[in-house]
Amino acid sequence: CAPEANIVKRNILTFESDKITAIQAYDDKEFIASTDEGFRPVNLFNGPDGAMYIVDMHRGIIQDKAYLSPYLHKHLADKKLDTIIGMGRILRVKNKNKNLSDYPDLDLLSDVELVSQLKSSNPWLRDKAQQILVYKQNKAVIPLLKDLLLDNQEPLAQLHALYALEGLDALSFELLEKIGLATDTMIIAHTLILLEDFTAETNAEPMSNLIANLLLKEDATIDLYTCLSLGSWVKYSEDIFMPLIYQISKRYENNKIYQEAIISGLQNAEEQFNQYLLQHDLNTNTNKIIKDLIAETIENRQNNRKNSIFVDTSVTTDSRTAGYQIYRNLCATCHGFDGEGIAGVAPPLNSSEFIEGSSEKLALIILHGLQGPVHVNGKLYELNGVMPGLANNNEYDDRDIANIISYIQNAFVKNGEKINTERIKELREFKPANGNFFTEDELLIFK
């Protein structure tokens, strides 16, 4: 869904062992495109009848106020897009050459019938049947689910049976071991992850035998999930599992994704694996990626830092959004939320010569204040007071000043120049001639 463009886009995905790629489904069109500017698709769902259902928020304006430029203000007003509210709807998309599917009332089905739905070609029915089976917690269906799990002819049904059994707390190491050599790569990958719940010393040797057999398949997807899961077993037997980790690391020694997967899976056993490498990989030019990653991980742990892949980073606030928040709390009191000013208090900001063009002029006003009278759009404004500056206000730093400028220029004029914090810092020292506030004449040198 791309609500900002009034379209639903279709991409064709290709799944490989360590990446997913996408290509546009059509060369010259989108799956759905509307000339209705209120069309705002925000979510897609498969329905039990085989149709796709689109949640259309159907709203004229979806931009945050901080992003509304003068052009957008005019565009929205001309088209009355602000009137398109409270009109959300759900659209159904179906194949015009195919009838919608019939589907049973799942609440009326027996548990045996629900298990049979796990083999349905309808993914909605499979998901819902699995959900109901887990919710009901009827242990009598466990034998039926195990039979389905061991049927290698229907991998999707196996997958649903696998997680239905997990939801019924009916998995065991022996059962997962049995299906661990299934022919379908997807089933094996899920099994490897679920086997982590059964790490124990008594299971170490049979697990190592299973991994050894899986490595013989030389399947890139299985190997990736082996990288992710194998480290949880190391604490039970380094002698058994370190050679297996080393084997798979050597197989993909130039692939950083696999080496990072190994690091992720080692679960604080990096020191032990490092020692193994020092003993068995004497050539310092081989396995360089994993060696560097281990060294970085050990150093980070010693310094109480996280590896880069796990570092918590917050999404930075756009400068206009940050600026709008300050403007709303500080500037709008006098200049108004719409920038139209307040008679006798502050002039308008819309199309103001003090904002258009040079950001330095605006920065000086915000930093050091402004004393009237001033002309805006050819009109003289005799002000009753002065605008105080923020240069001596410790609550607002150079970044805050830059953010205010970013918002004001975006919201109230057509052309504005960016200004960086370094220049704002310099302008703090550019004092008004009277030592208090700038006047209109003093600011004329800034075009």
Side-chain angles (χ1 to χ4, degrees):
C1 293
E4 72 285 356
N6 316 119
I7 64 172
V8 174
K9 177 177 287 293
R10 181 185 172 212
N11 287 334
I12 297 174
L13 304 181
T14 300
F15 296 87
E16 299 176 56
S17 57
D18 58 354
K19 66 179 179 180
I20 302 172
T21 56
I23 60 171
Q24 180 84 343
Y26 315 105
D27 292 332
D28 57 351
K29 61 182 179 181
E30 301 292 352
F31 180 70
I32 294 177
S34 177
T35 57
D36 177 2
E37 291 190 69
F39 177 56
R40 307 293 189 181
V42 293
N43 219 329
L44 310 172
F45 294 94
N46 289 323
D49 56 5
M52 181 175 72
Y53 290 84
I54 302 173
V55 177
D56 174 14
M57 182 171 63
H58 211 73
R59 195 174 182 89
I61 303 174
I62 61 172
Q63 293 91 345
D64 186 285
K65 182 176 176 63
Y67 301 100
L68 292 180
S69 64
Y71 165 78
L72 278 175
H73 274 293
K74 185 176 185 306
H75 176 77
L76 298 173
D78 289 345
K79 295 203 169 185
K80 298 182 179 179
L81 295 182
D82 58 325
T83 65
I84 305 178
I85 57 175
M87 299 182 183
R89 58 189 180 182
I90 297 175
L91 308 176
R92 183 176 70 184
V93 180
K94 64 182 288 289
N95 188 330
K96 64 182 180 182
N97 298 317
K98 188 176 181 180
N99 293 328
L100 293 176
S101 303
D102 294 326
Y103 55 93
D105 184 341
L106 296 181
D107 290 334
L108 301 179
L109 298 186
S110 67
D111 290 337
V112 174
E113 291 171 322
L114 284 172
V115 172
S116 70
Q117 291 297 326
L118 299 181
K119 297 189 287 185
S120 170
S121 60
N122 184 328
W124 187 94
L125 286 176
R126 294 198 307 270
D127 288 342
K128 195 65 174 179
Q130 176 188 322
Q131 180 185 5
I132 294 172
L133 285 167
V134 172
Y135 177 78
K136 293 176 71 174
Q137 287 290 305
N138 183 1
K139 306 295 185 180
V141 301
I142 290 175
L144 294 174
L145 290 170
K146 287 183 177 180
D147 289 341
L148 188 57
L149 178 61
L150 297 172
D151 183 359
N152 291 333
Q153 302 304 309
E154 299 192 59
L156 277 175
Q158 279 184 285
L159 192 61
H160 285 283
L162 181 63
Y163 283 100
L165 286 166
E166 184 202 27
L168 292 168
D169 197 25
L171 292 179
S172 65
F173 178 86
E174 291 73 23
L175 179 60
L176 291 171
E177 180 187 20
K178 186 178 294 185
I179 65 167
L181 290 174
T183 55
D184 187 82
T185 297
M186 175 180 63
I187 301 301
I188 296 173
H190 283 272
T191 300
L192 284 168
I193 299 302
L194 290 171
L195 276 164
E196 292 186 58
D197 292 335
F198 297 93
T199 52
E201 188 172 353
T202 54
N203 296 331
E205 187 172 345
M207 182 64 183
S208 69
N209 293 331
L210 174 61
I211 296 298
N213 285 317
L214 290 177
L215 291 179
L216 294 176
K217 290 178 175 287
E218 297 189 356
D219 183 290
T221 298
I222 294 174
D223 288 349
L224 180 62
Y225 282 87
T226 301
C227 291
L228 290 165
S229 63
L230 199 52
S232 60
W233 292 87
V234 169
K235 60 185 175 184
Y236 296 104
S237 178
E238 289 184 24
D239 293 340
I240 293 177
F241 291 104
M242 284 300 182
L244 294 173
I245 297 175
Y246 178 69
Q247 179 183 343
I248 198 169
S249 179
K250 287 289 288 183
R251 181 177 291 178
Y252 298 95
E253 66 176 306
N254 295 316
N255 188 313
K256 191 172 182 179
I257 291 178
Y258 281 79
Q259 304 304 329
E260 285 185 335
I262 290 173
I263 293 294
S264 177
L266 277 171
Q267 301 183 15
N268 301 326
E270 297 86 7
E271 288 274 14
Q272 296 92 311
F273 189 53
N274 191 43
Q275 290 300 317
Y276 188 91
L277 286 174
L278 292 174
Q279 296 171 13
H280 296 85
D281 202 297
L282 302 179
N283 187 343
T284 57
N285 293 320
T286 63
N287 262 33
K288 188 173 186 325
I289 293 177
I290 189 71
K291 291 174 182 175
D292 288 346
L293 286 171
I294 288 176
E296 178 188 355
T297 301
I298 293 173
E299 180 184 358
N300 284 343
R301 182 173 293 115
Q302 291 171 344
N303 294 312
N304 198 27
R305 294 198 305 260
K306 294 181 179 180
N307 281 5
S308 58
I309 194 172
F310 297 114
V311 170
D312 293 326
T313 55
S314 60
V315 178
T316 57
T317 303
D318 179 272
S319 62
R320 292 166 295 181
T321 303
Y324 169 65
Q325 292 169 352
I326 299 173
Y327 177 88
R328 180 187 60 192
N329 295 328
L330 185 68
C331 314
T333 304
C334 297
H335 291 286
F337 286 100
D338 55 3
E340 291 298 332
I342 297 176
V345 178
L349 301 179
N350 281 316
S351 304
S352 170
E353 300 91 325
F354 293 94
I355 300 174
E356 192 93 26
S358 171
S359 294
E360 293 187 346
K361 181 165 50 180
L362 179 56
L364 287 171
I365 295 173
I366 296 173
L367 285 168
H368 303 292
L370 179 64
Q371 184 174 14
V374 296
H375 293 81
V376 176
N377 293 323
K379 183 178 178 180
L380 176 65
Y381 289 86
E382 295 277 4
L383 305 178
N384 296 328
V386 295
M387 171 183 165
L390 299 179
N392 297 319
N393 189 326
N394 294 329
E395 186 177 347
Y396 302 101
D397 59 20
D398 295 337
R399 172 59 58 193
D400 293 325
I401 304 300
N403 289 340
I404 296 172
I405 293 172
S406 178
Y407 167 69
I408 289 176
Q409 289 190 326
N410 178 78
F412 303 124
V413 297
K414 293 181 179 178
N415 300 302
E417 298 175 358
K418 289 186 177 181
I419 189 170
N420 57 43
T421 54
E422 289 77 14
R423 182 54 178 156
I424 291 175
K425 184 177 181 179
E426 294 171 356
L427 292 174
R428 284 181 178 271
E429 306 305 319
F430 197 98
K431 302 295 185 182
N434 61 18
N436 295 314
F437 309 101
F438 275 101
T439 64
E440 181 177 51
D441 290 340
E442 286 182 273
L443 294 170
L444 290 178
I445 62 173
F446 298 95
K447 302 298 182 182

